Amino acid sequence: MQNVVAVVAAGRNAGPTVLGQRNIHIPTAGKIRAGIKVLTRKAQENPAALSIYEEGLRAGRSFDDIERSIVTQIPDLARPLVPKNVPYFTVRPGDFPNPETAAQIMRLYAEDRGDGVPRLYRFPVIFPADVWQAVMPHGLVAWGAGEKKFWSEYAPDGRTRVCKCYAPVPPDRSGRKPARTFGGRKTQLRRENNGMCDPENCREFQERKCNLSGRFIFYIPGVQSCDAFELPTNSVYSMTRAIQKFEALAFLRGGRISGFLDAKRTTFYISKVERDVPHIDEQGRSVRTKIWLIELEAPIDVTALLNVSDGTVLSDTTRETLTLDGTQPGPGVSASPPCDQVGAPADDRDPDDKPKRQSGADACDPAEPILAVVDAFGLERGRFEVFAKKKWGTGWKFNAGGRARVLATLESFEDLAALKAEVDSVLG
C-alpha cells in the first residue's frame, strides 16, 4: 500500500538476546515517599519503640528500616508503623544509595510554608519513555515473607489479566539439591482460578492481602544521577488521573510524554492535592473521605502546541517518526498527503468490491491513508470512524499527532479478528 503514512512506534521491544526478550525496565536509584509512617497507638506506649523511632528519624533512616529495627528488638510489635496521609512528600537519606542525593533534592526544591520546616511539596520531573506503562508500572500484588507471593500481569493479547507466582525450583540430576537456574527464578500461572486474576473471587484480595501497587519513574532536573527515581503509590485515583494526563499530552505531542514539554524546557510537576474520594465502608455503604492525592501537573499553554493555521498538531517527534513516500515532512509541513495523492491506496474498484476513489472535497480527507489501512484489513469504514470518534474524539483526523496515534494502533493488530474485537469492545 503506497503513500500510507508509516509510524515508527516508540518503545517497541528489541530483538531477543541470551537473557530473553523482556519488557522495558528503567533502573532506579532511590525512592521519594508519598507520605510518612507513624507509630501505632500500641507502639507509642512502648518506650523502647518510641526511642528507636525518634532516633531513626534524626538519623535520616528509611521508615522500612526503622520498622525492621523495632520488630527485631520488640517482637511483640509485629506492625509498629502505619502510613499517614500528609500534604508533602518525604525524602529521606536512607531511601537512596547515595544519601547526598536526598540532600540535593531538598536543597533544590524544598519549601518552608510557614511552619519553619522545609518540606517537599512540589517538584519537576522528566519521564524517560513515551509509553506511560513504562513510567508508571502497576499491578495487583500479594506479598509473602519479604517477597512477592502473587501478582497480576496481562497476557500477550493485552486484555486477559492473569495471576502469576514463582515456580518451584526443580531438583538437579542427582535429585539431592535444587537445580541451578539461568536468567532468574521462573514464574508460572497460579493454579487457583485457572490462573486468572479475578479479584471478586480471590481470597487474598478479599482479605486485603492483595492490593494495587504502582510507582512513577522519572528524572529530576538538576539532580545528578545516572538512574531514575521512583515514587511508590497504591492510589487508584492518583494513577487514573495521571493516565488521563499522559494520554492527553501524548495526543497533543505526537505520542510523546518524555523529555521537555515544549521549546521553553517546561517539565511535568508532581505535587499533592486534597480531594474528596469515595470508598466502601465495612457496612457496604459508599462514603467520601478527604485525602491528599498525588497530582501530575503539565503547566504549559496547550494552544502553543497547536498549529492554528491548519488545525494540526505537529511536534518535533511527529516529524521524526512520520514518513510519507520515504520523505520526512519539514518544519511547518503537515503530515497529511497532498490531495492528488489521497486515495492512492484504494484503486478504482468494481461496484461489488471496495468503494471507488472519492473525488472533490472528500478526496482531501487527511484520514484517507488511515482509512485505506482499514480497507486493507477488511473492516467497514463507517464502523471504524464511529469507533475512532468514540475512542479518540472528533478531532483525531485533523491533527497529525492524532492520525499518527490511530495509525500506530491499527498497526498493532495482527489481523481483522483482533481489530474487530477491539472495535466491538468499544462500541458494545
Side-chain angles (χ1 to χ4, degrees):
M1 297 183 298
Q2 52 181 331
N3 295 330
V4 175
V5 180
V7 175
V8 181
R12 285 185 178 173
N13 287 337
T17 69
V18 70
L19 294 180
Q21 186 168 317
R22 302 188 177 191
N23 293 329
I24 299 171
H25 174 74
I26 302 169
T28 59
K31 294 182 176 68
I32 295 175
R33 305 286 183 176
I36 62 174
K37 284 188 175 182
V38 296
L39 291 167
T40 62
R41 185 172 302 177
K42 181 179 179 181
Q44 289 177 19
E45 297 171 353
N46 188 303
L50 185 60
S51 175
I52 296 171
Y53 179 77
E54 292 178 344
E55 181 183 346
L57 290 183
R58 288 192 296 270
R61 297 167 63 192
S62 70
F63 288 112
D64 292 342
D65 193 17
I66 294 172
E67 187 167 38
R68 281 191 293 269
S69 296
I70 295 175
V71 172
T72 300
Q73 298 185 40
I74 313 169
D76 292 341
L77 296 175
R79 296 180 63 87
L81 299 184
V82 292
K84 182 179 179 181
N85 194 243
V86 292
Y88 52 85
F89 301 95
T90 303
V91 185
R92 305 192 61 76
D95 281 321
F96 295 82
N98 179 6
E100 175 57 28
T101 303
Q104 191 176 15
I105 295 172
M106 293 298 287
R107 280 197 304 269
L108 287 171
Y109 302 114
E111 306 172 51
D112 179 354
R113 295 195 172 179
D115 59 0
V117 181
R119 294 190 175 98
L120 187 65
Y121 293 94
R122 183 174 183 263
F123 58 99
V125 298
I126 292 178
F127 293 104
D130 291 324
V131 182
W132 67 257
Q133 292 90 339
V135 298
M136 199 189 73
H138 61 282
L140 291 166
V141 181
W143 291 89
E147 68 174 10
K148 288 194 298 184
K149 187 176 181 181
F150 306 113
W151 63 91
S152 68
E153 286 184 9
Y154 276 90
D157 63 8
R159 298 179 179 86
T160 307
R161 192 172 62 233
V162 298
C163 183
K164 303 195 76 172
C165 61
Y166 287 113
V169 180
D172 65 2
R173 291 185 177 181
S174 69
R176 294 190 297 270
K177 60 181 181 178
R180 182 185 176 200
T181 60
F182 176 73
R185 296 179 64 178
K186 303 296 186 288
T187 63
Q188 65 181 24
L189 292 176
R190 186 183 179 185
R191 293 181 179 177
E192 289 83 357
N193 298 332
N194 295 318
M196 296 296 101
C197 176
D198 184 7
E200 285 74 18
N201 295 306
C202 173
R203 180 178 64 253
E204 283 76 15
F205 184 84
Q206 295 301 322
E207 294 176 356
R208 301 182 183 277
K209 295 177 181 178
C210 180
N211 298 289
L212 180 67
S213 177
R215 56 197 179 120
F216 293 92
I217 299 177
F218 46 81
Y219 289 95
I220 302 177
V223 178
Q224 299 171 353
S225 173
C226 290
D227 293 328
F229 304 103
E230 59 183 284
L231 172 62
T233 180
N234 58 6
S235 169
V236 64
Y237 303 104
S238 295
M239 286 188 274
T240 301
R241 286 177 61 83
I243 291 171
Q244 294 170 351
K245 298 280 181 69
F246 282 138
E247 292 185 335
L249 263 295
F251 182 81
L252 290 171
R253 302 179 66 229
R256 288 190 64 196
I257 59 175
S258 64
F260 293 104
L261 298 179
D262 56 23
K264 299 177 181 178
R265 300 175 68 84
T266 306
T267 69
F268 281 100
Y269 277 80
I270 290 180
S271 62
K272 280 196 166 186
V273 294
E274 190 176 32
R275 298 189 186 278
D276 268 336
V277 298
H279 70 94
I280 305 300
D281 65 10
E282 296 297 332
Q283 285 72 45
R285 299 170 302 186
S286 178
V287 297
R288 301 186 75 87
T289 307
K290 280 187 177 295
I291 61 173
W292 289 94
L293 297 175
I294 297 171
E295 181 80 352
L296 186 64
E297 304 175 24
I300 57 172
D301 177 7
V302 175
T303 61
L305 300 178
L306 300 174
N307 185 338
V308 211
S309 61
D310 61 5
T312 62
V313 176
L314 191 58
S315 70
D316 290 339
T317 300
T318 306
R319 296 190 185 101
E320 292 169 2
T321 59
L322 296 181
T323 60
L324 182 63
D325 287 335
T327 306
Q328 294 183 352
V333 179
S334 170
S336 306
C339 291
D340 60 353
Q341 292 181 357
V342 172
D347 297 329
D348 290 342
R349 299 177 185 273
D350 191 85
D352 295 329
D353 194 4
K354 301 291 181 184
K356 290 186 178 182
R357 182 188 307 174
Q358 296 177 330
S359 60
D362 290 340
C364 289
D365 184 354
E368 180 63 30
I370 295 173
L371 296 176
V373 178
V374 175
D375 290 344
F377 268 106
L379 185 67
E380 197 271 318
R381 283 191 178 200
R383 183 165 177 79
F384 176 80
E385 293 207 59
V386 175
F387 156 76
K389 180 178 178 181
K390 186 171 183 180
K391 187 174 179 68
W392 292 290
T394 55
W396 70 268
K397 63 167 65 176
F398 300 112
N399 69 70
R403 295 193 298 273
R405 184 177 182 183
V406 174
L407 187 58
T409 302
L410 277 173
E411 291 183 338
S412 68
F413 293 104
E414 295 182 357
D415 51 31
L416 175 61
L419 176 58
K420 287 184 66 176
E422 173 66 14
V423 172
D424 291 344
S425 70
V426 172
L427 298 183

